Amino acid sequence: MNELKKILDDTILKSLDMRPEVKWLQEKYDLFMQKNNLTSKMKTDELLYEKMYAALPERNSQMTKLRLWRTGHHIPSDRNQILMLGKALGLSGEDQQYLMQVYADRSDMIFDTASLDNAAYQERLKMMDTMIQEYLMKLHPAELIQFKIFSGDPLPSLRHIYFSHACEYTFRSNKNDIKNISRMASISYGSELLRNTKLLGDIPRKTMIRHILIMCIPFINERVINTYLSAFGYCSLDPEHTLTGGERFDAMLLQILDLYHDCCQHKSPKECIEWLQGAFRYTDQYLRAQGKNRLRPFYFKTLEKEET
């Protein structure tokens, strides 16, 4: 695991650098200043505030969030603020898309129950259904018996299967996973998983990557992940892309996938899965020990609670 440890240490170190996306945003701020003949950052923030909220700030503290966005200490808290910021800066359609998908690390659009007849929603939902179907088709008959699935249709047991496989890529041992699986498959996360698979609401990009990994392993690589990310409206994996906190998650994952390719060429699917289980367990445990939960590919709260 020396090579994997090197990847993780390098990722943690580089995650301290300024986000390339913040540098991009600062360039847009500079262009905005030039267009409006402004020389003061405070005056620029004041004008942006006015354009965003159609009112002058009553206190300087009201502009604090704009300064924090500009310096990279925070990002807008919701999609409306992101859109308002882009509009205030006068961003083009392409730049506005970059702001949402790359800088804010979100999908280009979200859907709700009123979107059922939306063509884009139907197309993306079809892609999700395809991924789920292919995932379930890979189940070995012995696994179906293990999950007590005798009907021939594993779809009703998707949550249970998903949690079982998720555990296999964390720091927990398999025996404990199997014993605790019914407790892990909580109703609360079951509802979240259902919303995610129906593509309802604002689904974090990293959460979607976790779904893709769990459902596509062992036939996983950069191309497969990017195909699904693009289909669901997210930016593709890019070694220069960072999470909103500056974490170099994409670069880390791409390096792990490269290592997987080098180590598992010409091996059976079973051997490939075992390698990935070992690699991601090590990754999960190491990053957890370093307090870097945002970098953990298989970190989510429901499983975390079960460890205590």
Side-chain angles (χ1 to χ4, degrees):
M1 292 294 179
N2 287 340
E3 192 166 355
L4 184 54
K5 181 179 182 299
K6 184 177 182 301
I7 290 172
L8 301 179
D9 286 338
D10 186 57
T11 299
I12 292 171
L13 182 62
K14 289 184 177 179
S15 294
L16 298 175
D17 297 341
M18 177 181 280
R19 298 182 66 203
E21 297 86 352
V22 170
K23 293 180 181 178
W24 173 88
L25 182 62
Q26 290 176 347
E27 291 173 0
K28 300 304 175 184
Y29 264 87
D30 291 342
L31 287 173
F32 180 82
M33 290 180 67
Q34 293 172 22
K35 289 178 181 178
N36 291 278
N37 298 314
L38 296 168
T39 58
S40 163
K41 296 288 187 183
M42 181 175 291
K43 289 294 183 182
T44 301
D45 290 342
E46 185 176 304
L47 180 57
L48 282 172
Y49 185 96
E50 182 181 358
K51 284 180 173 291
M52 288 180 66
Y53 300 103
L56 290 171
E58 297 178 1
R59 300 178 302 278
N60 287 339
S61 60
Q62 291 179 305
M63 296 188 296
T64 300
K65 60 184 177 184
L66 281 88
R67 179 175 58 81
L68 294 175
W69 298 343
R70 170 166 45 80
T71 56
H73 290 88
H74 290 287
I75 69 165
S77 60
D78 59 53
R79 297 179 69 91
N80 284 336
Q81 284 190 328
I82 297 166
L83 293 171
M84 289 165 63
L85 175 62
K87 184 177 180 181
L89 285 168
L91 297 185
S92 65
E94 185 176 337
D95 282 342
Q96 186 77 285
Q97 185 176 14
Y98 182 97
L99 185 71
M100 182 65 72
Q101 291 181 303
V102 184
Y103 166 78
D105 206 28
R106 295 170 181 255
S107 177
D108 59 346
M109 62 179 75
I110 59 173
F111 306 100
D112 55 27
T113 53
S115 306
L116 300 181
D117 296 327
N118 182 288
Y121 173 70
Q122 287 297 327
E123 184 177 349
R124 294 183 185 189
L125 186 60
K126 184 177 180 181
M127 196 72 171
M128 173 60 76
D129 289 342
T130 297
M131 184 168 73
I132 292 172
Q133 290 169 15
E134 292 180 352
Y135 169 53
L136 296 176
M137 285 174 62
K138 289 183 296 185
L139 292 173
H140 190 277
E143 280 191 283
L144 294 175
I145 294 173
Q146 175 188 325
F147 292 129
K148 298 182 179 180
I149 299 172
F150 306 107
S151 65
D153 180 14
L155 184 59
S157 301
L158 175 64
R159 182 183 69 187
H160 186 59
I161 296 167
Y162 180 95
F163 266 94
S164 297
H165 289 162
C167 290
E168 292 172 357
Y169 301 105
T170 68
F171 57 88
R172 300 168 183 81
S173 68
N174 282 335
K175 287 184 179 180
N176 287 335
D177 293 344
I178 300 302
K179 289 180 180 178
N180 292 332
I181 197 62
S182 61
R183 292 192 298 118
M184 291 177 186
S186 67
I187 294 175
S188 60
Y189 188 74
S191 299
E192 182 180 336
L193 181 62
L194 179 61
R195 288 195 302 273
N196 285 184
T197 55
K198 294 301 182 184
L199 300 177
L200 299 175
D202 204 350
I203 305 170
R205 175 175 177 268
K206 185 167 169 278
T207 297
M208 186 58 73
I209 290 174
R210 188 183 75 224
H211 294 328
I212 296 169
L213 285 170
I214 290 175
M215 295 188 190
C216 294
I217 283 174
F219 309 110
I220 194 74
N221 54 40
E222 180 181 355
R223 180 187 60 80
V224 169
I225 294 175
N226 285 343
T227 295
Y228 281 113
L229 284 177
S230 296
F232 297 138
Y234 300 91
C235 67
S236 299
L237 291 176
D238 185 325
E240 296 302 314
H241 178 64
T242 64
L243 304 185
T244 55
E247 298 85 358
R248 300 274 173 165
F249 179 83
D250 283 30
M252 179 191 73
L253 182 56
L254 286 168
Q255 290 177 84
I256 292 174
L257 291 174
D258 285 343
L259 190 59
Y260 170 53
H261 178 267
D262 293 342
C263 294
C264 293
Q265 281 193 85
H266 312 303
K267 291 189 176 181
S268 69
K270 183 176 184 296
E271 291 174 307
C272 292
I273 291 173
E274 289 174 350
W275 188 94
L276 286 167
Q277 287 173 347
F280 279 124
R281 281 175 188 157
Y282 178 87
T283 297
D284 192 80
Q285 186 173 15
Y286 189 81
L287 293 174
R288 182 175 184 266
Q290 301 295 319
K292 303 299 181 181
N293 287 337
R294 283 174 56 84
L295 277 170
R296 293 164 62 188
F298 294 94
Y299 172 75
F300 53 109
K301 293 179 181 178
T302 303
L303 289 181
E304 200 68 12
K305 290 176 183 177
E306 297 304 325
E307 189 272 335
T308 58

